[in-house]
């Protein structure tokens, strides 16, 4: 049996599982199994949740395991700790290295790599399924490298293809240092979740995507804590009841977090949170979009566990760069738009001090004076 499939294992090919699979630490427990497919696991009833046929369960990833202890240096583990503990996780949307540096400078302890912002920044194009997996991964590698312990939640669109591509996306995101990714139920020719005219795939295809992502995560050698977020865009197409049902199915298939795009009222967000308990719920706030402009405090009071502000950096960038370009065109100088920031001050925001210090500690003399 392929790694990662154990957690969906069924006693008979045509039956839904009637037991759940719990990983065993072989360093402290000897397995008596002679089945090579299950040599690292045992079948048991889970005391943490009610037994239901076909429901994914991996004891290693149970939230209770992340309640105590210092925050991990591994970003995926750290995000699981943040999700298991009190307080809402706030992740500003970043679009490039400059916006990521600014978010870190402001003190944010989680970042969101927005698909729309990445497409706009890297390609100068709208969020209409134009960016590829390579575009997203290359951006993620750069962002995650700026602060390797800071969790980055990354948009993965539809998974960029069938189940093999969904799995490939998980592997490449995890290798890049991404802590979590969300995968959605739009058709491959998708669009920003706050535009009209969306189309979604069937429930079955959506759950197949989620299951492929979970199996891929669980097959990573050493045991990955990578977080899988199930996102549905069906609320605007098929209604809130269908959207909630899809997220329940995604949770049963192994999604760690549920993301309902375009929830239109505080009441609907509260109902969604209640319906999906105990799974944490992510809410996406875009000024002028379908979702009200909840503050972090309001979203937390309504029960959301993660709030992302997808376009906060790239919209601000458009306004700032537009103003600077118009000023330059009109006045012939960039003096006013620079606002007193000289090159060294700019590079200090980009980590100048860290690079100079590294060179000095290594015995280098290249940057004794900058």
């Amino acid at each position: 049996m392929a790694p990662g499939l154990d957690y969906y294992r069924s006693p008979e090919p045509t039956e839904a599982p009637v037991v759940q699979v719990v990983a065993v630490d072989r360093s402290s427990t000897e397995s008596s199994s002679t089945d090579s497919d299950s040599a690292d696991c045992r079948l048991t009833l889970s005391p943490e949740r009610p037994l239901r046929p076909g429901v994914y369960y991996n004891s290693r990833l149970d939230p209770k395991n992340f309640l105590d202890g210092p925050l991990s240096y591994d970003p995926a583990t750290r995000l699981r700790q943040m999700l298991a503990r009190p307080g809402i996780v706030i992740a500003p949307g970043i679009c490039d290295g400059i916006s990521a540096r600014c978010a870190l400078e402001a003190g944010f302890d989680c970042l969101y790599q927005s698909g729309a912002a990445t497409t706009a920044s890297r390609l100068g194009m709208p969020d209409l399924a134009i960016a590829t997996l390579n575009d997203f991964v290359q951006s993620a590698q750069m962002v995650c490298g700026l602060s390797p312990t800071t969790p980055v939640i990354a948009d993965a669109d539809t998974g960029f293809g069938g189940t093999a591509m969904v799995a490939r996306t998980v592997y490449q995101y995890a290798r890049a240092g991404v802590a979590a990714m969300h995968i959605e139920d739009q058709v491959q020719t998708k669009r920003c979740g706050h535009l009209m005219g969306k189309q979604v795939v069937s429930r079955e295809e959506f759950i197949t995507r989620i299951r492929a992502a979970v199996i891929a995560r669980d097959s990573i050698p050493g045991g990955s804590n990578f977080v899988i977020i199930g996102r549905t865009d069906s609320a605007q197409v098929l209604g809130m009841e269908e959207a909630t049902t899809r997220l329940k199915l995604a949770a049963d298939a192994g999604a760690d977090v549920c993301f309902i795009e375009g929830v239109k009222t505080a009441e609907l967000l509260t109902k969604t949170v209640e319906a999906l308990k105990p799974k944490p719920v992510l809410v996406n706030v875009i000024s002028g979009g379908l979702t009200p402009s909840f503050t972090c405090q309001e979203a937390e009071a309504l029960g959301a566990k993660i709030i992302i502000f997808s376009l906060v950096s790239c919209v601000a960038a458009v306004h700032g760069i537009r103003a600077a370009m118009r000023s330059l065109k009109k006045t012939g100088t960039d003096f006013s738009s620079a606002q007193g920031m000289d090159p060294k001050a700019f590079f200090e925001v980009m980590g100048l001090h860290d690079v100079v210090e590294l060179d000095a500690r290594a015995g280098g003399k290249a940057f004794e004076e900058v």
Side-chain angles (χ1 to χ4, degrees):
M1 184 179 292
L5 291 176
D6 294 340
Y7 302 102
Y8 295 103
R9 193 170 184 187
S10 179
E12 298 293 339
T14 57
E15 290 184 29
V18 294
V19 290
Q20 294 168 328
V21 179
V22 180
V24 172
D25 183 354
R26 299 186 75 185
S27 65
S28 59
T29 306
E30 292 190 13
S31 172
S32 60
S33 172
T34 58
D35 181 355
S36 61
D37 289 338
S38 58
D40 293 319
C41 59
R42 57 186 169 84
L43 302 180
T44 182
L45 296 180
S46 165
E48 290 84 7
R49 60 188 298 171
L51 184 65
R52 300 202 307 277
V55 175
Y56 171 93
Y57 179 70
N58 183 339
S59 66
R60 186 178 61 79
L61 300 178
D62 194 296
K64 74 177 190 310
N65 296 328
F66 300 91
L67 285 170
D68 302 316
L71 289 175
S72 173
Y73 290 116
D74 173 69
T77 304
R78 180 176 288 231
L79 180 58
R80 286 188 180 274
Q81 291 171 320
M82 294 165 71
L83 291 173
R85 301 175 188 189
I88 191 168
V89 177
I90 305 167
I94 51 93
C95 58
D96 57 13
I98 296 174
S99 56
R101 285 286 190 185
C102 291
L104 293 169
E105 181 187 56
F108 287 100
D109 55 9
C110 186
L111 303 178
Y112 174 61
Q113 180 177 293
S114 159
T118 301
T119 302
S121 177
R122 289 184 66 85
L123 305 178
M125 299 292 284
D127 185 12
L128 297 175
I130 296 169
T132 67
L133 172 60
N134 289 344
D135 292 317
F136 281 48
V137 170
Q138 289 165 12
S139 180
Q141 289 172 331
M142 177 272 297
V143 170
C144 294
L146 297 178
S147 179
T149 62
T150 301
V152 174
I153 301 170
D155 190 346
D157 282 355
T158 62
F160 306 101
T163 54
M165 279 302 295
V166 171
R168 186 165 179 258
T169 301
V170 171
Y171 298 143
Q172 293 207 19
Y173 273 34
R175 271 197 296 268
V178 172
M181 76 175 210
H182 63 73
I183 186 166
E184 68 200 45
D185 59 356
Q186 286 198 56
V187 297
Q188 295 296 342
T189 50
K190 60 144 290 172
R191 65 197 63 197
C192 170
H194 291 255
L195 295 178
M196 299 297 104
K198 293 188 291 185
Q199 294 177 287
V200 295
V201 298
S202 66
R203 290 182 186 178
E204 291 75 17
E205 185 171 346
F206 175 45
I207 300 311
T208 297
R209 291 175 183 175
I210 299 296
R211 193 176 291 115
V214 173
I215 291 170
R217 186 269 313 283
D218 290 344
S219 71
I220 295 174
S224 173
N225 288 331
F226 189 78
V227 176
I228 306 295
I229 302 173
R231 162 179 157 172
T232 183
D233 286 76
S234 61
Q236 289 74 54
V237 183
L238 303 173
M240 284 296 296
E241 184 177 348
E242 175 65 16
T244 303
T245 297
R246 287 182 176 225
L247 290 179
K248 287 180 178 178
L249 292 170
D252 285 350
D256 301 294
V257 177
C258 294
F259 174 1
I260 186 164
E261 181 66 294
V263 60
K264 291 185 176 180
T265 68
E267 181 184 8
L268 288 175
L269 177 58
T270 300
K271 286 182 178 179
T272 302
V273 170
E274 287 298 318
L276 296 172
K277 281 184 175 179
K279 288 291 180 181
V281 171
L282 180 155
V283 63
N284 180 22
V285 173
I286 297 178
S287 182
L290 296 172
T291 300
S293 294
F294 298 124
T295 66
C296 301
Q297 295 78 11
E298 290 169 342
E300 183 175 14
L302 293 169
K305 187 60 184 177
I306 304 176
I307 185 169
I308 59 175
F309 295 87
S310 296
L311 299 183
V312 62
S313 62
C314 57
V315 168
V318 167
H319 288 311
I321 295 170
R322 265 183 175 170
M325 293 301 172
R326 288 170 177 169
S327 175
L328 175 60
K329 182 71 172 176
K330 180 178 180 180
T331 67
T333 177
D334 70 344
F335 181 81
S336 61
S337 62
Q339 300 182 49
M341 177 177 280
D342 62 24
K344 186 174 182 179
F346 171 73
F347 294 135
E348 283 175 348
V349 179
M350 299 304 114
L352 175 66
H353 175 75
D354 293 337
V355 176
V356 171
E357 182 182 26
L358 170 65
D359 183 71
R361 289 177 64 186
K365 300 182 182 299
F367 305 116
E368 287 184 321
E369 183 178 358
V370 291

